[in-house]
Amino acid sequence: MAVVLAAAALSCVAAEVSPSLFFAKIGNFTGYIGRLFHLDSGALVVTDPVEWYWGLARWARLLGETIVMAYVGTALGAIGAFFLAFLAAANVTPARWLSFTVRRFCEFCRTVPGLVFALMFVIAFGLGPMAGVLAIAIHSLGALGKLFAEVVENIDMKPVEGVQATGAPWHVSMRFGALPQVMSNFVSYVLLRFEVNVRESAVLGFVGAGGIGMDLFEAIRKFYYSDVSAILVMIVVTVAVIDIFTGKIRHRLIGLVEGR
Amino acid sequence: MLDRSRIDLAALRARHPGHFGGAGRNRSVAIVFGGALLLLLLGMADLGFFGLNTLTGIGKLWDVTVLMLPPEPGSWAMFRLYLWGLIETIAIALLGTLVAAVLAVPLGLLAARNVTTARIVTFLTRRSLDTIRSVDILIWALIWIGVVGLGPFAGVLAFATSDIGSFGKLFSEAIEAADRKPVEGIVSTGGGRVLGVRFGLLPEVFPVLASQVLYFFESNVRWASILGVVGAGGIGLQLSEAIRTLELRQASFIILMILVTVAAIDLVSNQLRFALIGKRGQART
């Protein structure tokens, strides 16, 4: 406990924490939140939804792009992770060194933040959704690769051994021995990752990597308060809807597995 | 050795249809996966994956990778600057996580159905936590920069607000999953609800909460390293600057530094977590 407190105190110095500044400026925060919900004319946003959502068509298109980015990124990452997982899992890996290499590779993809990859891909592919998709795909590859490998490590080895006993090669024993056991878990993790990625792709636009983040960043930077709240509400609602939807699918999947 | 020619495959297939055609071959599953794949291809086409752009981009990506090697800080002064940025990053993550954890305990209690009996309170708390959670940390950082100005303090506040949402939810779930008996025991001795929560509930859930806080600290160090991209302090500032000015060797050096730091922190907090959970295991037996 004392160690934690000491570390916290040191961090306060390093992070230039100043309570006085905080209390002096906290009014700005509530004021900021207040201004978010007022139009330029000073009226509350809800009184004039047409004015509030003046850019609905453009934002809806960008939001659609954001979701497509998240979908494609998740799918590409999941496909990669699917193949890597069987190489990385300690119990079925064809070779120890392969498992080690794949694990380190996934770790690398997971640790470097998606935004850094996005910055780099923006250099290579130019501004636009492509950079964002690749950044999401690589980050998902790292995260899902680890989770998938853990799922594979927890399987019952008997079916795999059974298939191997018939003389089947490695890929066949994976296909018929391991895959049926892990599929529902894989899908569940992918859906979870998709939820996360929708959130992340909404901010990738901050570095110019496509999606609604570009407009949001501009609105925040230029103090278009009502635009900020309009876009934020759209993002929050979309994320909530996607969460509920994928949550339903996940629960049905879990029910399927337990019902067997 | 079995003589293959003597096996009547047709008869076997008729008797055990489920054993032929392989495991897990299911039409509805195939349709779902086919549909998902089709959507993926459509999405890729929509985002311009099948253009000439992709090829030139991959070429440029190769150039970028070559330019990044070997990683080097440039000069000793730069290295010191990066090191300081890294310390700042860890400080931001640590403080933000701690503040969020402390503030989230009362919120978690409010959101737990077995502690707070007023349903309207749990409902409202949960919805506000959901809303906080669905706004990304970078957006919080931008908002706080508008309030307290550029610098690491805005990053701390961003982590504090954004993690309250996650911690509140996780804590309330841990509290709901806790055993009711200690609380009932304390209430039966005449202690009030507050004492019941303090001595019956908190000791039980504390190790779980602490291990979750550690988890978040780990992932927050990763996130803190990009907060600087929007100006909220930490090494992200130097990193994004290095990438934008195409000082790619310095950028790869910073990434390496982040990787090493994150690995070290993971190692330490893993052991801490095992110690915590081990303690709980001892208390239980």
Side-chain angles (χ1 to χ4, degrees):
Chain A
M1 211 59 198
V3 176
V4 172
L5 283 181
L10 279 179
S11 315
C12 285
V13 180
E16 298 166 22
V17 172
S18 72
S20 58
L21 178 71
F22 178 72
F23 286 112
K25 296 287 183 68
I26 186 69
N28 281 2
F29 180 68
T30 46
Y32 191 92
I33 301 287
R35 264 189 306 248
L36 283 183
F37 292 99
H38 287 90
L39 294 171
D40 286 342
S41 59
L44 263 179
V45 282
V46 280
T47 56
D48 195 354
V50 179
E51 174 67 23
W52 189 24
Y53 274 101
W54 64 274
L56 184 63
R58 177 181 161 76
W59 293 333
R61 190 176 56 73
L62 282 173
L63 199 61
E65 187 180 273
T66 309
I67 296 172
V68 172
M69 276 167 63
Y71 180 80
V72 174
T74 316
L76 290 179
I79 292 171
F82 175 82
F83 291 108
L84 290 185
F86 291 101
L87 302 178
N91 53 346
V92 296
T93 183
R96 283 287 292 279
W97 62 268
L98 200 61
S99 156
F100 181 83
T101 326
V102 171
R103 268 164 187 278
R104 291 295 88 76
F105 174 68
C106 285
E107 215 162 66
F108 173 77
C109 294
R110 197 164 65 233
T111 307
V112 179
L115 216 61
V116 175
F117 278 121
L119 276 170
M120 233 107 73
F121 290 142
V122 165
I123 300 175
F125 293 95
L127 295 172
M130 181 101 93
V133 169
L134 290 177
I136 292 175
I138 288 195
H139 198 75
S140 307
L141 175 77
L144 287 176
K146 177 196 157 90
L147 290 171
F148 283 7
E150 274 167 10
V151 172
V152 174
E153 279 174 357
N154 282 327
I155 61 169
D156 181 3
M157 283 302 281
K158 289 193 199 97
V160 180
E161 282 161 12
V163 179
Q164 270 169 353
T166 65
W170 184 77
H171 68 270
V172 175
S173 68
M174 288 300 108
R175 164 69 185 84
F176 294 105
L179 190 60
Q181 297 184 56
V182 297
M183 212 52 215
S184 61
N185 267 330
F186 277 16
V187 173
S188 166
Y189 277 134
V190 171
L191 288 172
L192 208 60
R193 192 71 222 170
F194 178 59
E195 288 174 24
V196 177
N197 283 346
V198 171
R199 276 168 225 198
E200 191 169 331
S201 62
V203 295
L204 278 177
F206 284 16
V207 295
I212 197 155
M214 280 201 236
D215 270 36
L216 179 59
F217 191 58
E218 203 181 299
I220 294 179
R221 274 284 150 94
K222 293 184 177 164
F223 300 105
Y224 298 152
Y225 293 106
S226 61
D227 286 12
V228 175
S229 65
I231 297 176
L232 275 185
V233 168
M234 277 177 92
I235 294 178
V236 168
V237 169
T238 313
V239 167
V241 168
I242 288 177
D243 277 11
I244 292 169
F245 191 63
T246 53
K248 282 238 166 75
I249 302 178
R250 269 212 319 278
H251 281 295
R252 286 198 43 192
L253 267 176
I254 293 166
L256 269 181
V257 173
E258 280 171 358
R260 236 182 239 159
Chain B
M1 208 49 196
L2 231 131
D3 189 359
R4 261 183 166 270
S5 63
R6 281 176 55 197
I7 302 174
D8 188 356
L9 267 181
L12 277 176
R13 194 186 291 270
R15 259 184 290 155
H16 309 285
H19 289 219
F20 284 84
R25 273 193 193 153
N26 186 323
R27 179 165 291 175
S28 57
V29 171
I31 289 172
V32 170
F33 275 95
L37 202 65
L38 195 70
L39 260 179
L40 170 64
L41 290 177
L42 280 177
M44 284 170 77
D46 182 44
L47 297 176
F49 260 74
F50 302 119
L52 201 65
N53 241 342
T54 319
L55 284 178
T56 52
I58 290 170
K60 269 192 209 154
L61 195 62
W62 175 247
D63 292 344
V64 169
T65 319
V66 171
L67 280 174
M68 285 178 79
L69 298 171
E72 57 157 29
S75 69
W76 181 239
M78 292 303 264
F79 179 69
R80 288 230 310 263
L81 193 70
Y82 297 156
L83 211 57
W84 178 246
L86 210 54
I87 293 171
E88 208 175 85
T89 306
I90 298 171
I92 291 172
L94 182 71
L95 270 183
T97 318
L98 278 179
V99 172
V102 171
L103 293 179
V105 170
L107 284 174
L109 289 172
L110 278 182
R113 288 213 182 90
N114 55 351
V115 178
T116 309
T117 36
R119 288 309 275 276
I120 182 78
V121 177
T122 58
F123 179 80
L124 283 180
T125 319
R126 276 164 184 240
R127 287 295 85 75
S128 6
L129 291 176
D130 283 349
T131 314
I132 293 176
R133 230 162 354 111
S134 51
V135 175
D136 197 90
I137 174 88
L138 281 176
I139 299 170
W140 283 117
L142 281 174
I143 292 177
W144 280 113
I145 285 172
V147 178
V148 297
L150 292 169
F153 190 38
V156 173
L157 291 171
F159 270 117
T161 25
S162 149
D163 279 358
I164 283 177
S166 324
F167 279 148
K169 181 188 155 74
L170 288 172
F171 287 3
S172 71
E173 277 166 6
I175 291 166
E176 278 176 4
D179 194 356
R180 297 282 302 151
K181 287 186 196 112
V183 183
E184 281 163 11
I186 285 169
V187 172
S188 76
T189 64
R193 289 186 57 82
V194 175
L195 285 178
V197 167
R198 164 66 188 83
F199 292 104
L201 202 58
L202 282 186
E204 193 179 352
V205 293
F206 183 75
V208 183
L209 304 195
S211 87
Q212 277 164 354
V213 171
L214 269 177
Y215 247 132
F216 266 79
F217 173 60
E218 280 174 43
S219 88
N220 281 349
V221 172
R222 285 163 214 212
W223 281 105
S225 59
I226 55 163
L227 274 188
V229 174
V230 296
I235 191 126
L237 179 65
Q238 284 95 359
L239 179 56
S240 68
E241 227 166 56
I243 293 179
R244 285 197 177 128
T245 53
L246 293 178
E247 299 281 2
L248 291 171
R249 287 158 85 176
Q250 293 178 15
S252 62
F253 186 79
I254 297 176
I255 293 174
L256 258 180
M257 281 174 80
I258 296 176
L259 285 178
V260 171
T261 316
V262 166
I265 286 176
D266 278 9
L267 211 69
V268 173
S269 77
N270 247 333
Q271 283 180 345
L272 269 178
R273 205 168 29 244
F274 275 123
L276 275 171
I277 293 170
K279 232 191 262 166
R280 187 183 56 166
Q282 274 174 3
R284 281 266 164 89
T285 48

